[in-house]
Amino acid sequence: MLFRIKKKPGWDSKKKRFNSRLSQLTPREREVLVFIAKRLPPKLIARKLSVSKNAIDVYRVNILKKMKTRTVGQLIAQAVCCVLVEIEVEQ
């Protein structure tokens, strides 16, 4: 089961802003963003990408700055709303 998100007024402008900010990320930062949005812990992300956990922490901070968000929760919400990541819900 996937959540369906209803479009609200201003949706298109938010999506354009998100995509504009997303284009500022490096390919590696985009890759890390997808893992973060899927709620994987930093240690597991580091293992999957063959880098240190500290490197993932640095990527996370850079992503938050470039995406102009303060928390990982806001970042995930943007990624989900702009269909960067689909949420699957187990029943």
Side-chain angles (χ1 to χ4, degrees):
M1 177 176 155
L2 293 175
F3 281 109
R4 298 286 178 218
I5 300 170
K6 293 182 181 179
K7 287 188 177 183
K8 294 182 179 179
W11 170 268
D12 292 329
S13 65
K14 286 181 184 179
K15 191 168 184 175
K16 284 180 186 176
R17 266 184 289 167
F18 179 81
N19 287 332
S20 171
R21 292 174 186 161
L22 190 62
S23 68
Q24 296 173 8
L25 299 180
T26 66
R28 180 64 105 180
E29 287 170 340
R30 277 189 231 118
E31 193 173 9
V32 171
L33 173 58
V34 170
F35 284 129
I36 289 172
K38 290 182 178 181
R39 304 291 294 160
L40 293 178
K43 278 187 179 180
L44 184 58
I45 298 171
R47 209 174 308 136
K48 286 181 177 267
L49 299 178
S50 301
V51 296
S52 72
K53 181 194 169 292
N54 291 339
I56 298 303
D57 291 338
V58 170
Y59 284 128
R60 185 179 50 80
V61 169
N62 289 341
I63 291 167
L64 288 171
K65 284 180 186 175
K66 289 179 181 180
M67 298 303 290
K68 297 184 181 174
T69 56
R70 292 183 182 156
T71 66
V72 172
Q74 289 175 340
L75 185 64
I76 292 170
Q78 285 184 1
V80 169
C81 285
C82 294
V83 195
L84 179 65
V85 177
E86 290 182 346
I87 296 180
E88 294 182 20
V89 179
E90 294 180 13
Q91 290 185 336

